[in-house]
Amino acid sequence: MLATAIIVFREVIEAALVISIVMAASRGVARRGLWVWGGVGLGLVGSCVVAAFADRLAEAAAGVGQELFNAAILFTAVGMLGWHNVWMRRHGRELAMEMKQVGQAVLSGTRPLYALGLVVGLAVLREGSEVVLFLYGIATGGEGGTGAMLLGGAVGLGLGAAVGLAMYFGLLRVPTRHLFAVTSGLILFLAAGLASQGAACLVDADWLPPLGRAVWNTSDLLSEDSLAGQVLHTLVGYVSRPDGVQIVFYLATLVIIASLMRRFGDKPGRSASS
Amino acid sequence: MRHPAPRLALSAAALVFACAATAAEDYVLTIKDHQFTPAELEVPAGQKFKLTVKNEDASPEEFESKTLKKEKIVPAKKQIVMPMGPLEPGSYDFVGEFHEATAKGRLIAK
């Protein structure tokens, strides 16, 4: 049971952190719940489908189907997060003012919530399919009994959700006028971390050269197996032994999204007046 | 570095196909009763190779190694092939994440 709880917790925590940031970033938008929880629901359904077709996915593309699939999911999420950030940069100030002046009804439907819904769905899909396979494996293997498995799964899910909730309520303590800046920053680093993971998948598939294995090694200092290491891995893309190409993708994503935000966002001169 | 630049997707795919065809001569791990055989596998250091993992159990397994940076599902009664290396000389632990208590193993690169 304990093993089940730990594995489920490890998978859930990543998705939970992504959901909490997305919920904070979409604070005050009407019908955000529909998109976010709809994304979670579709992600869960998708997880079962991926688990059911895991055999074929593994055999696809000459045996690297799984890696390419993960890379595609990761880079789609990076694109959606980048799009959200650029959009927010353009409209965030109006939104913040409207939230103060007119109340929340004004915000309905104006933001690209589908981007965030998709990000949530992809996060759940990536983590969820492993949980489904794992639980299915235990169920068919008959180890420890189904009851213990379900209990362990529930405990792991509960703990993961608790971390997400703590993050969410922590973010809600940020004053409204700073909230968008904080969530934009979080999303920027989240996207860079996902891009670096995507690059690692393409290295696994032998589609990208690693450009140097383990450029540094901080696994003794902070292991990705530890809770802190895993939270940092999700939030800012911490990797204890990064390939060179992961660093390149990480930095490139930061620079590209940040410069798109500058390029298509408000003119710098206007920000001083508000 | 053996790769001067990122390859085009097409040529990479062709290479992957070519390598997959010769995978039978490469290194093989077998999972049975949630254990790896051999538990220690000697592989060449400093060159690329293919690692095939065969799962003879009725339940899926996940080959996972932090040191090798691999995390890959091995469906029940199936096998996967992973491009590996080049590895520095040393030993690399791996586990079957879904049965971590029994499924442990190690690659030794020489």
Side-chain angles (χ1 to χ4, degrees):
Chain A
M1 191 217 98
L2 189 63
T4 310
I6 290 171
I7 289 192
V8 172
F9 172 66
R10 278 208 303 241
E11 303 295 340
V12 167
I13 187 174
E14 254 186 84
L17 285 172
V18 171
I19 293 169
S20 69
I21 293 174
V22 162
M23 284 295 277
S26 59
R27 187 186 175 192
V29 181
R31 288 182 300 155
R32 66 166 178 167
L34 192 69
W35 283 98
V36 173
W37 299 115
V40 172
L42 283 178
L44 286 174
V45 173
S47 295
C48 297
V49 174
V50 170
F53 288 99
D55 309 28
R56 275 196 238 163
L57 190 58
E59 284 163 8
V64 293
Q66 211 175 296
E67 288 84 349
L68 298 183
F69 179 72
N70 281 336
I73 285 184
L74 289 161
F75 287 121
T76 307
V78 170
M80 288 296 128
L81 291 171
W83 162 238
H84 171 264
N85 258 12
V86 172
W87 196 96
M88 278 308 295
R89 179 65 170 241
R90 204 170 179 81
H91 301 285
R93 195 163 298 112
E94 305 153 30
L95 287 178
M97 283 169 66
E98 283 169 2
M99 276 174 86
K100 270 181 277 178
Q101 291 169 355
V102 211
Q104 303 182 349
V106 188
L107 304 176
S108 61
T110 49
R111 295 176 55 183
L113 276 177
Y114 54 87
L116 292 181
L118 189 59
V119 166
V120 167
L122 292 173
V124 172
L125 177 66
R126 209 156 48 89
E127 310 301 327
S129 52
E130 277 187 32
V131 173
V132 172
L133 270 175
F134 168 67
L135 296 180
Y136 170 77
I138 290 192
T140 53
E143 304 140 48
T146 313
M149 175 194 96
L150 288 178
L151 184 60
V155 169
L157 184 67
L159 287 175
V163 172
L165 277 175
M167 176 86 185
Y168 177 66
F169 286 110
L171 283 173
L172 286 198
R173 297 176 69 93
V174 175
T176 306
R177 65 204 155 90
H178 297 311
L179 182 68
F180 291 144
V182 170
T183 54
S184 282
L186 282 170
I187 283 177
L188 184 59
F189 285 103
L190 190 66
L194 294 178
S196 136
Q197 283 183 52
C201 290
L202 291 179
V203 171
D204 272 351
D206 214 7
W207 276 39
L208 274 183
L211 301 179
R213 290 277 181 187
V215 173
W216 66 73
N217 187 349
T218 47
S219 50
D220 292 340
L221 210 63
L222 180 59
S223 156
E224 286 151 86
D225 287 328
S226 66
L227 181 59
Q230 203 185 352
V231 168
L232 283 177
H233 174 74
T234 305
L235 290 184
V236 296
Y238 170 73
V239 183
S240 59
R241 300 165 64 255
D243 287 345
V245 72
Q246 286 190 272
I247 301 168
V248 171
F249 270 67
Y250 188 91
L251 294 177
T253 305
L254 278 187
V255 169
I256 290 170
I257 295 181
S259 48
L260 285 176
M261 285 168 70
R262 282 186 86 93
R263 169 78 179 72
F264 295 106
D266 284 337
K267 293 204 172 62
R270 273 170 58 192
S271 58
S273 61
S274 66
Chain B
M1 236 40 267
R2 290 180 58 186
H3 304 283
R7 295 185 212 116
L8 288 174
L10 262 179
S11 62
L15 230 145
V16 169
F17 273 103
C19 293
T22 62
E25 298 152 25
D26 287 313
Y27 299 85
V28 180
L29 284 168
T30 305
I31 302 169
K32 186 149 178 64
D33 300 327
H34 313 308
Q35 288 180 333
F36 286 104
T37 317
E40 282 197 0
L41 181 63
E42 206 170 290
V43 295
Q47 67 180 73
K48 290 195 165 197
F49 61 95
K50 297 274 165 178
L51 182 65
T52 300
V53 183
K54 291 183 180 171
N55 185 1
E56 295 184 354
D57 286 334
S59 64
E61 188 53 270
E62 183 171 56
F63 179 93
E64 176 166 336
S65 169
K66 293 285 180 210
T67 47
L68 291 165
K69 306 222 293 181
K70 294 283 175 189
E71 201 175 345
K72 188 158 175 167
I73 303 282
V74 195
K77 304 283 181 191
K78 300 272 177 178
Q79 64 176 47
I80 57 160
V81 182
M82 288 180 286
M84 306 279 269
L87 298 175
E88 301 274 315
S91 66
Y92 299 84
D93 289 333
F94 56 83
V95 295
E97 203 197 359
F98 294 170
H99 305 91
E100 234 178 303
T102 54
K104 294 175 190 295
R106 178 177 292 168
L107 288 189
I108 297 170
K110 281 189 179 167

